[in-house]
Amino acid sequence: MSDTLPPFDDATDFGNADRGFLGALVPGVVRADDGRVVWDNDAYDFLKSECPDTAHPSLWRQGRLCARQGLYEVTEGIYQVRGLDLSNMTIVEGERGIVVVDPLISVETAAAALALYREHRGDRPVTAVIYTHSHGDHFGGVRGVLPHGTEEGVPILAPAGFLEHAVSENVYAGTAMTRRASYMYGVGLPTGPEGQIGVGLGQGASTGTISLIPPTVDITETGQEETVDGVRIVFQLTPGTEAPAEMNFLFPDHRALCLAENATHNMHNVLTLRGAVVRDSRIWAHYLDEAIECFHGRYDVAFASHHWPTWGHDKVVEFLAEQRDLYAYMHDQTLRLLNAGHTGAEIAELIELPPALERAWHGRGYYGSLSHNTKAIYQRYLGWYDGNPAHLWEQPPVELARRYVEVAGGAADALAKARGYVEDGDLRFAATLLNHLVFADPGNEEAKAVLAGVYERLGYGAENATWRNFYLRGAQELREGVTGEMVDVTNPEMSMALTVPMLIDSVAIAIDGPRAWDDDLTIDLLLLDGLTDAGERRRLTLHNGALTHRVVAEPRTPAGLTLTLGKAQLLGLLAGKSLQELGIGVEGDPALLGRLFSYVTKADPRFPIVTP
């Protein structure tokens, strides 16, 4: 792949990132009520210095831009707070108060952002909230702008399907995803030239309290227009792009276009390194193209949920066209090479961006990358298997590693060979060989130390921030073991937003199947309330180690246990409270519930990643 960089003397992004500055939070630190620091933007002051040899100069430049912090005027009546979390909070002034767009990740950072706005613009009440899409950095801080007891009568607007997608990530693969996210974002790494210098999309994620207020107004179609607090908004639904539920929208009276997270100043992820459902880069490009046509001539500035705005209608069209072409080109060329018989790994080495996209700073792979995005597109269409029978039934990592080390002549010879590759500058294969050595013998401290050094060098050379963080966190684990606190992504409001089927699914995926092979039981839940579940009879069946459930109107056979309960009581039951304590109606044998719960396991979220 080419590594042609855009001209570093182009200062357009710096001018745009500084435009409209009104004031910063000083110091740029946000604390929880207990004094714990949940955000520290001042920790990135080191980026004001020249780029050292421990960082890619392009990533250093992006870090400098993302580290700018404060309140900025986008256009008259629209303001953004940037640099107080991974995402931006946008504030639109209405007739009586303000419309808040995307209230950050944490309650604490959102409250600090709102206070900064009020310091400069006055103490206006929050009269509406808009969630652009279903990722946590765009809704988690909502209680910081609408504390408990203040949300009555305040419309919350979101794209159709928002609530289901907002909470579902935490139900199914949430434990593993959160663990991997700590590597992706560099949680536990020191901030500094040798450590975490950002994530490309922003500087990092705050670690405060996550909240959620369910939407009250669904945006269900492109062209839908809503007026909140006198502010007119025209929406474009963009499902299946950067998020399953997402939308762009225009403020026609302000001539300002919000692009959510569909067009930011970097190449985004088709599949994040933390893990997710593969996104559709084809439809992503389609919706960017639709936005060009849908809103043409009706705006003078475009802004997004991350980074800085773009001013000038023609400049926005150019930006959108290049972003569109970026995702379309990746998609189409991956499919072209895929259909020529190349595998995902091969495509990642073969594909090159057109020169015009290579020279666009906003097309650089700071967060997503051309390499892992093309592999993701391959995965979306053909899955994990590349068609080679040798890869159909390979040994698992530890057994495969032992055999590689044996072939290499034993641990000592494998280590010597790996050092040779390091000395020759072939860090990629050195990492592969050393990884086999560590998995074959996790007690080999010398091999772990050499591999840590290789990961460190790969991290220092990475233009992609999330690659850098993964490499450096891998080096840290090899040297120190599993470290770093896990971010708690759960809270009562998130749990209450889960549907009853999702709650049952959360139990099903935790069942120890082999222990439950020989059991056979049925439990009916008669639901008194819920999002859409009131009056339902939902039957749970444990059979052959699998817990399944369905709605039954007239059961053909009686259940062994029937529970009459509401959503809050079900949550209490799953939290370990007793039937009696919760006042749940019981008919049949309550011991069946104990049997079911006896098979439920709890995953350890601190599992190792770079060691067995």
Side-chain angles (χ1 to χ4, degrees), residues 3 98 195 219 253 314 371 411 434 481 510 518 526 599 602:
D3 195 25
I98 55 174
I219 306 305
D253 298 329
D314 291 346
S371 176
L434 287 162
D518 298 325
L526 290 180
Y599 302 122
K602 185 172 178 57

Side-chain angles (χ1 to χ4, degrees), residues 85-312:
D85 213 322
L86 177 64
S87 48
N88 302 332
M89 187 164 91
T90 302
I91 296 167
V92 184
E93 294 177 349
E95 293 176 352
R96 297 179 294 104
I98 55 174
V99 178
V100 173
V101 181
D102 287 354
L104 309 182
I105 296 176
S106 300
V107 170
E108 296 85 352
T109 54
L114 182 59
L116 179 62
Y117 164 81
R118 286 173 169 166
E119 176 186 338
H120 292 274
R121 296 294 300 165
D123 190 8
R124 304 164 192 245
V126 175
T127 49
V129 172
I130 301 175
Y131 303 140
T132 60
H133 61 290
S134 53
H135 291 152
D137 51 328
H138 304 275
F139 66 80
V142 66
R143 286 295 181 190
V145 300
L146 280 179
H148 287 280
T150 66
E151 69 269 31
E152 186 69 29
V154 177
I156 313 288
L157 289 73
F162 167 87
L163 196 59
E164 176 188 355
H165 294 297
V167 298
S168 62
E169 277 193 351
N170 297 315
V171 175
Y172 301 113
T175 301
M177 197 178 290
T178 302
R179 175 70 175 130
R180 284 169 46 154
S182 71
Y183 278 59
M184 177 175 170
Y185 291 111
V187 177
L189 288 176
T191 53
E194 291 81 37
Q196 202 260 20
I197 60 176
V199 299
L201 199 64
Q203 291 311 94
S206 65
T207 56
T209 307
I210 296 172
S211 60
L212 174 62
I213 303 176
T216 61
V217 179
D218 285 342
I219 306 305
T220 58
E221 61 182 357
T222 292
Q224 183 172 336
E225 183 168 337
E226 300 288 339
T227 300
V228 289
D229 193 13
V231 177
R232 286 199 304 137
I233 315 166
V234 181
F235 293 91
Q236 177 203 12
L237 277 183
T238 64
T241 51
E242 189 272 336
E246 191 150 357
M247 59 187 183
N248 300 327
F249 44 92
L250 176 75
F251 295 100
D253 298 329
H254 297 78
R255 294 187 59 81
L257 177 62
C258 176
L259 295 168
E261 202 167 323
N262 289 318
T264 53
H265 289 278
N266 57 204
M267 179 190 296
H268 214 295
N269 284 299
V270 176
L271 175 59
T272 67
L273 299 185
R274 65 183 170 88
V277 175
V278 180
R279 296 159 186 172
D280 188 344
S281 49
R282 179 190 61 85
I283 203 72
W284 197 330
H286 163 76
Y287 281 123
L288 288 174
D289 195 46
E290 183 181 76
I292 294 173
E293 182 63 29
C294 185
F295 299 116
H296 187 76
R298 303 170 70 187
Y299 55 81
D300 299 316
V301 61
F303 61 91
S305 303
H306 297 271
H307 301 142
W308 50 94
T310 300
W311 281 272

